[in-house]
Amino acid sequence: GESVGLHLPTLSVQEGDNSIINCAYSNSASDYFIWYKQESGKGPQFIIDIRSNMDKRQGQRVTVLLNKTVKHLSLQIAATQPGDSAVYFCAEISSNDYKLSFGAGTTVTVRA
Amino acid sequence: NAGVTQTPKFRILKIGQSMTLQCTQDMNHNYMYWYRQDPGMGLKLIYYSVGAGITDKGEVPNGYNVSRSTTEDFPLRLELAAPSQTSVYFCASSILYEQYFGPGTRLTVT
């Protein structure tokens, strides 16, 4: 079936640098995409979302970019901090049933 | 608001035993979900509910059952535990798109 996946399983970033986490999706019918952050031993936490009719959305220190032509989603984290160390998941959802489909995740490690 | 709460936090079961994972939300959300997360993997949907009295299967429902008698509670039942059900289980709730997750239950079946 169609699924959402991430390009790289791990990402090591120097504190203060910007991070870019990538995600490829295959379901062109999805109309909503979400990035979640999961810290060790905790449940996923909502970071930012974007509708399929948008190509960019900004939050506090985070930006999500959506390229529907190549079915690519990315999360940019500005000035990465130690507290940003976590596993990041992209997920897609359809307004038909509000069921999330998750990728495998990217583990981000911030180096001091 | 406590958000989404799950009990227990940890549990060890023997093969063939049964148990119920509890999930409660106090946000008056209509939608509730159960996921399992295996090591190094993303979350897979087990069951979901769009409101009290309504439940439906997700991607991996075999070996599990759910009920939704109230808006607040969405328990997950394992009838005959198997080693393949060793996982971390997350409950979530939502109004529409943004799902709020509980802290998880770590289950080991030996």
Side-chain angles (χ1 to χ4, degrees):
Chain A
E2 295 176 306
S3 64
V4 177
L6 289 168
H7 289 301
L8 294 174
T10 61
L11 179 66
S12 180
V13 182
Q14 185 69 39
E15 181 178 358
D17 286 353
N18 297 334
S19 303
I20 299 176
I21 306 166
N22 295 306
C23 175
Y25 68 94
S26 58
N27 186 356
S28 57
S30 294
D31 51 15
Y32 204 76
F33 301 90
I34 305 174
W35 280 100
Y36 281 91
K37 173 186 180 183
Q38 187 177 23
E39 296 175 282
S40 181
K42 297 184 179 180
Q45 180 183 8
F46 173 91
I47 301 173
I48 192 168
D49 57 20
I50 188 167
R51 289 187 181 274
S52 60
N53 61 356
M54 301 170 67
D55 54 21
K56 181 179 181 179
R57 189 162 188 224
Q58 287 185 290
Q60 188 176 10
R61 278 201 311 119
V62 295
T63 301
V64 57
L65 299 177
L66 176 63
N67 185 332
K68 293 182 288 294
T69 302
V70 296
K71 296 180 182 174
H72 183 267
L73 190 70
S74 69
L75 177 70
Q76 300 177 1
I77 305 174
T80 310
Q81 302 169 0
D84 294 327
S85 292
V87 180
Y88 290 80
F89 296 95
C90 67
E92 62 171 337
I93 192 168
S94 168
S95 58
N96 290 335
D97 54 22
Y98 299 106
K99 291 190 293 184
L100 279 174
S101 178
F102 283 85
T106 292
T107 300
V108 174
T109 303
V110 180
R111 306 188 307 271
Chain B
N1 283 351
V4 180
T5 56
Q6 293 182 238
T7 57
K9 285 187 169 55
F10 305 93
R11 184 72 185 268
I12 298 174
L13 283 182
K14 294 188 186 302
I15 295 171
Q17 285 186 321
S18 301
M19 78 164 293
T20 299
L21 282 67
Q22 301 292 345
C23 175
T24 300
Q25 54 94 6
D26 62 0
M27 297 173 282
N28 203 32
H29 288 169
N30 285 331
Y31 293 84
M32 294 189 75
Y33 312 81
W34 273 106
Y35 296 89
R36 60 175 287 171
Q37 185 177 32
D38 298 328
M41 303 297 289
L43 281 73
K44 293 186 178 180
L45 183 65
I46 305 171
Y47 270 96
Y48 69 104
S49 169
V50 301
I54 306 169
T55 63
D56 207 347
K57 296 178 180 179
E59 184 183 356
V60 290
N62 291 343
Y64 307 94
N65 278 300
V66 293
S67 60
R68 184 95 182 271
S69 57
T70 66
T71 298
E72 295 78 18
D73 301 307
F74 190 40
L76 178 71
R77 179 81 178 163
L78 283 70
E79 291 294 350
L80 290 171
S84 61
Q85 293 177 305
T86 294
S87 191
V88 181
Y89 292 84
F90 291 100
C91 179
S93 72
S94 73
I95 295 177
L96 287 176
Y97 295 112
E98 183 178 343
Q99 294 189 12
Y100 296 82
F101 286 82
T105 294
R106 184 175 296 274
L107 176 67
T108 301
V109 182
T110 61

